[in-house]
């Protein structure tokens, strides 16, 4: 079976649980024969590499390094889980300072060693801000950096499939906007269940308003719930979704989820905007977000929250003031 591309994919944080899961997933999906595993903590990295080799994936050439220059040189695709994970009782934003600093360094390294990279997926939290920080320091275009909103859309899809007892593929067009955090706006307007608009089902005995509110909360608190259930933060779902994003960026398959992506608008006013993103072989497409007034009010609140977080990283000196972007 052919690979999607021959180009180099670098997985950052590869000695950790998410990173090693990414490596396995990328190998199983046959994205590229050319996978480089990077982790600054060499312990375990060789073991992960050996295990992937022992799976005997045909034609795969997995290398590993703790040297960032070697890891990034020639990389056309990068996926990074290389920040600190959240622990029980923490919010994603509690990781802001340390992880934003890691993201700033990553952005600088990308600029220095692989400025012609095609696409970067950043998933360490708070993923929207770490994505933004990487974007600014790397000098890449906003369309080249995506974060973790796809995981929230998938969570919504799977919660709805479970509730209605239908196949995952029968729940379509699920969307969450406004970032990958508890401020996210979970949209009802876009989704359909077996072709029926979700909005026609909410408030009926098939999905009471109370059940919908519970379901939304399960999406919003999906990550925190996994920490409660397994004592550690999620690893399989962010790994899978981020590798799907990489596959989409490689043009292997149309993108199924909106990606979190922050852009500055031309007037430098509403600096961060979550856009609906779709990627196909012709490139990346942004669409305007459609929703009800209530959904847009929620979205506005999300933007305010994210803007405040952005301002915190500016105040910390991690990214320059907006007018210098
Ligand atoms: C998730 O949503 O599963 C991840 O962002 C990890 C976390 O800390 O919640």
């Amino acid at each position: 079976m052919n690979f999607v591309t021959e180009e180099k994919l670098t997985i950052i944080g590869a000695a950790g649980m998410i990173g090693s899961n990414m490596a396995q997933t990328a190998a199983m999906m046959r994205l590229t024969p050319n996978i480089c595993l990077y982790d600054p903590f060499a312990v375990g990295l060789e073991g992960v590499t050996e295990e992937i080799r022992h799976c005997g994936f045909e034609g795969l050439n997995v290398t590993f390094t703790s040297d960032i220059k070697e890891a990034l040189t020639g990389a056309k695709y990068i996926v990074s889980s290389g920040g600190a994970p959240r622990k029980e009782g923490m919010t994603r934003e509690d990781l802001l300072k340390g992880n934003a600093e890691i993201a700033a360094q990553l952005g600088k390294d990308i600029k220095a060693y692989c400025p012609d990279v095609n696409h970067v997926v950043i998933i360490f939290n708070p993923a929207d801000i770490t994505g933004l920080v990487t974007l600014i320091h790397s000098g890449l275009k906003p369309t080249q950096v995506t974060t973790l909103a796809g995981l929230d859309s998938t969570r919504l899809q799977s919660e709805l499939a479970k509730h209605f007892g239908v196949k995952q593929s029968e729940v379509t067009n699920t969307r969450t906007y406004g970032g990958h955090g508890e401020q996210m706006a979970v949209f009802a307007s876009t989704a359909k269940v077996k072709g029926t608009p979700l909005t026609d089902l909410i408030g009926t005995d098939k999905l009471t308003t109370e059940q919908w509110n519970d379901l939304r909360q399960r999406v919003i608190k999906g990550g925190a719930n996994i920490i409660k259930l397994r004592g550690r933060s999620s690893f399989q779902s962010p790994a899978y979704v981020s590798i799907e994003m990489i596959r989409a960026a490689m043009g292997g398959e149309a993108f199924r989820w909106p990606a979190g992506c922050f852009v500055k608008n031309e007037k430098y006013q509403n600096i961060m905007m979550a856009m609906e993103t779709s990627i196909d072989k012709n490139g990346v497409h942004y669409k305007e977000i459609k929703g009800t007034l209530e959904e847009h009010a929620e979205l506005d609140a999300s933007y305010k929250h994210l803007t405040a977080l952005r301002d915190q990283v500016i105040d910390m000196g991690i990214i320059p003031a907006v007018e210098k972007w």
Side-chain angles (χ1 to χ4, degrees), residues 163-216:
H163 176 87
F164 286 105
V166 299
K167 289 186 211 148
Q168 192 91 357
S169 57
E170 290 173 326
V171 179
T172 50
N173 225 21
T174 50
R175 296 286 184 268
T176 66
Y177 295 112
H180 177 66
E182 297 209 356
Q183 82 290 341
M184 79 179 73
V186 179
F187 270 41
S189 293
T190 56
K192 289 191 174 160
V193 180
K194 283 189 125 174
T196 305
L198 180 59
T199 43
D200 291 355
L201 297 165
I202 295 171
T204 69
D205 57 358
K206 294 190 177 116
L207 179 64
T208 64
T209 308
E210 201 185 357
Q211 285 172 324
W212 166 239
N213 286 335
D214 284 353
L215 194 148
R216 282 180 66 243

Side-chain angles (χ1 to χ4, degrees), residues 9-29 31 35 37 48 52 78-82 121-125 127 146-152 154-155 180 223 226 230 233-248 255-257:
L9 165 66
T10 295
I11 297 179
I12 297 181
M17 288 194 82
I18 302 182
S20 52
N21 215 269
M22 283 171 173
Q24 172 88 358
T25 307
M28 287 176 73
M29 285 188 188
L31 294 192
I35 298 180
L37 305 183
V48 172
I52 299 282
I78 299 170
V79 55
S80 177
S81 64
V121 175
I122 303 290
I123 69 154
F124 52 97
N125 279 312
T146 47
T147 61
L148 204 46
L151 177 53
D152 303 311
T154 315
R155 280 189 176 136
H180 177 66
I226 298 291
R230 66 181 292 271
S233 80
S234 58
F235 72 107
Q236 300 183 78
S237 49
Y240 176 72
V241 168
S242 52
I243 292 300
E244 277 277 24
M245 289 191 204
I246 290 287
R247 170 159 73 170
F255 199 32
R256 291 196 301 177
W257 303 293

Side-chain angles (χ1 to χ4, degrees), residues 14 38 46 48 53 55 64 66 75 88 90 99 112 120 130 164 254-255 289 302:
Y38 166 80
E46 187 171 359
V48 172
R53 282 198 191 119
C55 292
F64 68 95
S66 288
E88 184 140 25
M90 290 170 85
N99 279 355
V120 180
T130 53
F164 286 105
F255 199 32
I289 298 169
S302 308

